[in-house]
Amino acid sequence: MSTHPNFLGFSLLTVVCIAATLPVYGKLITDPVEMVGKLDNTFVVILGSLTLMIATIGINIVANFVSPAFDFSNVSPSKISWRMGGMIAAVGSIFITPWNLFNNPQVIHYTIDILGAFIGPLFGVLLADFYLVKKQKIVVDDLYTLDTQGSYWYKNGYNHSAFYALIPASLIPILCVLLPQLSGLANFTWFIGMGFGFVIYRFLNQPLAHAKSAMTKVKIQ
């Protein structure tokens, strides 16, 4: 909950500062480092630099550290703690050398577009599963059990329908990135993947959704 004001506050501050560069400097400056470098007041420069540091640390810890730490930990909770998962993410991020990605506009576009091609379908599957298949009903206790009779055990502990939906839903937007004929759609891979993931997962689980709906009606009666 506390992260929302953090994101919102720095987002608004960024938009206001960038918009102010146009009337002040005669051009739109989107690079915060360049923006701070144009200031001739030492106090303001220090304040701006500290703001950038706090924003970078605060937002990146929440968005790019906490989540992967849990992800790595969930792979093998008995062997990988949350702290170890965070260290894996931190060390791994160095080997990715993100500074090289941003130095090459073409590479960063490929990276972001392909990343969106994988993340979009995941979101689409989650939406379809929660709103259309599960009908916004969650069995909380079953989320934390390895009981084979649990609602989320599926088959051998894996939701195969999700995998079957993710594969084509990811490949289609990836083709938009790799094929020159579809390059106009490359910037929309997240949305394309989300749409295909949503539709394919819903199609694969259509009989299941009808069965659960029928069971719910029987229980109500």
Side-chain angles (χ1 to χ4, degrees):
M1 295 290 290
S2 60
T3 60
H4 294 170
N6 187 19
F7 278 110
L8 182 60
F10 280 114
S11 298
L12 291 175
L13 179 63
T14 301
V15 172
V16 171
C17 290
I18 290 175
T21 60
L22 186 59
V24 174
Y25 299 110
K27 66 174 183 177
L28 198 65
I29 301 175
T30 58
D31 186 352
V33 177
E34 181 183 354
M35 190 187 307
V36 173
K38 286 184 172 294
L39 302 174
D40 55 2
N41 187 305
T42 304
F43 174 77
V44 176
V45 170
I46 295 175
L47 181 62
S49 300
L50 288 174
T51 303
L52 288 175
M53 291 173 59
I54 294 171
T56 302
I57 294 172
I59 293 177
N60 276 282
I61 286 177
V62 174
N64 301 324
F65 181 83
V66 175
S67 177
F70 278 115
D71 292 337
F72 282 116
S73 177
N74 288 335
V75 172
S76 181
S78 61
K79 297 179 180 179
I80 303 177
S81 65
W82 180 86
R83 181 174 297 180
M84 184 181 294
M87 291 303 298
I88 294 173
V91 174
S93 65
I94 297 175
F95 288 102
I96 295 174
T97 63
W99 51 89
N100 288 327
L101 297 179
F102 282 96
N103 285 336
N104 190 325
Q106 188 174 6
V107 172
I108 191 62
H109 273 291
Y110 270 111
T111 303
I112 293 176
D113 292 340
I114 291 178
L115 184 63
F118 285 103
I119 296 178
L122 286 172
F123 186 65
V125 167
L126 289 173
L127 284 179
D129 186 66
F130 181 69
Y131 286 102
L132 300 183
V133 178
K134 301 294 192 305
K135 304 296 183 182
Q136 303 183 48
K137 299 183 186 299
I138 298 294
V139 183
V140 178
D141 291 341
D142 286 1
L143 291 172
Y144 304 95
T145 180
L146 294 177
D147 186 358
T148 57
Q149 301 301 318
S151 303
Y152 310 110
W153 178 253
Y154 298 105
K155 185 178 181 181
N156 297 325
Y158 295 95
N159 186 349
H160 290 251
S161 296
F163 286 106
Y164 297 149
L166 287 175
I167 294 172
S170 298
L171 289 176
I172 294 171
I174 287 176
L175 291 177
C176 296
V177 179
L178 300 179
L179 296 180
Q181 299 88 339
L182 301 175
S183 59
L185 300 174
N187 293 332
F188 306 97
T189 54
W190 190 92
F191 298 97
I192 296 171
M194 181 195 67
F196 276 106
F198 184 93
V199 172
I200 295 173
Y201 185 81
R202 179 65 181 89
F203 174 78
L204 292 175
N205 287 275
Q206 194 167 4
L208 180 62
H210 286 314
K212 289 189 174 182
S213 177
M215 290 177 63
T216 303
K217 290 180 180 179
V218 170
K219 289 181 179 179
I220 293 175
Q221 292 175 354

